[in-house]
Amino acid sequence: DTEVTQTPKHLVMGMTNKKSLKCEQHMGHRAMYWYKQKAKKPPELMFVYSYEKLSINESVPSRFSPECPNSSLLNLHLHALQPEDSALYLCASSLKRIFPGNEKLFFGSGTQLSVL
Amino acid sequence: DAKTTQPTSMDCAEGRAANLPCNHSTISGNEYVYWYRQIHSQGPQYIIHGLKNNETNEMASLIITEDRKSSTLILPHATLRDTAVYYCIVRFIEYGNKLVFGAGTILRVKS
């Protein structure tokens, strides 16, 4: 199994809603990532988890709340989002080598989020 | 901030080799060069990565110049399904080895 699975594939939510994005991998990877991609732009890193602990937060607004309940699962909890948060949200995972420059990230196919 | 430079777009005839260049003049000795591609509305797909030596796998070849300041991704026999945005990424140590995407090259394979 070399897949990163993201659910749902599409999500429409209002600005007062609370929703969650889910990401799962069964490759034994110990690093997991959230990226955000606006239309016609490259992906931008949001969060990195290493061994289930948050190691990088790229100054993401608090309306985005990540959670890593175990080594296979990564969630992104959404609350009080704005229309400009509409984007493709990508999850990725990697093995977590001692030297991180020499490890490849595996990406899921993303959740397309629309905030109305 | 990505500090890699790629052409905005390129065209390639189907069946021909596609050669995608990338400049990374500030790369240092322990920093790897990665190539990913993204087909419309899908997640980025890993293609290949290397440090100093040329690399080849089932998808592509990566040619890195001796001074490491530039590299070329080669798709030996491009097909229509290779039409995508191709990202050249250096995992710079000063950025914590993060995978930081630049603008990439839009490759259009034409029949």
Side-chain angles (χ1 to χ4, degrees):
Chain A
D1 186 358
T2 58
E3 278 194 5
V4 175
T5 304
Q6 290 188 244
T7 54
K9 292 198 183 304
H10 302 274
L11 180 62
V12 179
M13 60 185 291
M15 290 188 284
T16 58
N17 292 156
K18 285 185 182 181
K19 296 286 185 182
S20 296
L21 310 184
K22 180 180 170 182
C23 174
E24 197 166 0
Q25 56 86 17
H26 297 286
M27 294 179 279
H29 290 174
R30 303 307 297 272
M32 296 187 78
Y33 310 76
W34 282 115
Y35 281 78
K36 173 182 177 178
Q37 186 174 25
K38 301 279 282 182
K40 299 188 188 303
K41 297 290 187 183
E44 295 178 353
L45 184 63
M46 299 175 72
F47 302 104
V48 181
Y49 272 83
S50 176
Y51 293 95
E52 295 90 69
K53 293 192 188 316
L54 184 65
S55 61
I56 295 175
N57 177 343
E58 295 286 278
S59 303
V60 178
S62 59
R63 58 185 182 270
F64 296 91
S65 175
E67 178 197 22
C68 190
N70 61 56
S71 60
S72 299
L73 273 175
L74 185 66
N75 298 319
L76 186 62
H77 303 297
L78 314 172
H79 173 55
L81 294 193
Q82 304 297 310
E84 59 264 28
D85 296 320
S86 298
L88 181 68
Y89 289 84
L90 294 159
C91 173
S93 70
S94 67
L95 190 60
K96 192 60 181 173
R97 294 177 188 273
I98 293 173
F99 181 66
N102 187 21
E103 61 178 22
K104 53 191 179 185
L105 273 65
F106 292 81
F107 283 82
S109 55
T111 295
Q112 187 64 56
L113 175 67
S114 297
V115 182
L116 304 180
Chain B
D1 284 78
K3 298 201 293 184
T4 60
T5 305
Q6 299 178 250
T8 303
S9 65
M10 296 179 65
D11 290 338
C12 178
E14 190 178 20
R16 303 298 293 270
N19 296 282
L20 291 93
C22 180
N23 288 321
H24 31 78
S25 58
T26 62
I27 196 169
S28 65
N30 291 328
E31 292 169 341
Y32 285 78
V33 180
Y34 282 75
W35 284 83
Y36 278 78
R37 73 180 183 184
Q38 189 172 24
I39 295 169
H40 182 62
S41 298
Q42 297 182 20
Q45 177 189 21
Y46 167 83
I47 301 173
I48 201 166
H49 76 286
L51 183 62
K52 294 180 179 144
N53 300 321
N54 298 337
E55 302 287 345
T56 295
N57 63 21
E58 64 279 3
M59 286 183 70
S61 295
L62 174 60
I63 309 298
I64 302 174
T65 57
E66 196 169 333
D67 64 7
R68 303 188 69 240
K69 293 182 185 298
S70 65
S71 60
T72 300
L73 177 74
I74 302 172
L75 307 178
H77 305 287
T79 71
L80 298 178
R81 288 178 296 180
D82 292 320
T83 293
V85 180
Y86 286 77
Y87 296 102
C88 167
I89 303 168
V90 174
R91 299 189 72 166
F92 290 103
I93 294 172
E94 70 174 288
Y95 296 147
N97 293 112
K98 298 174 198 173
L99 200 73
V100 178
F101 289 80
T105 295
I106 300 170
L107 176 68
R108 300 184 191 91
V109 180
K110 300 184 175 182
S111 58

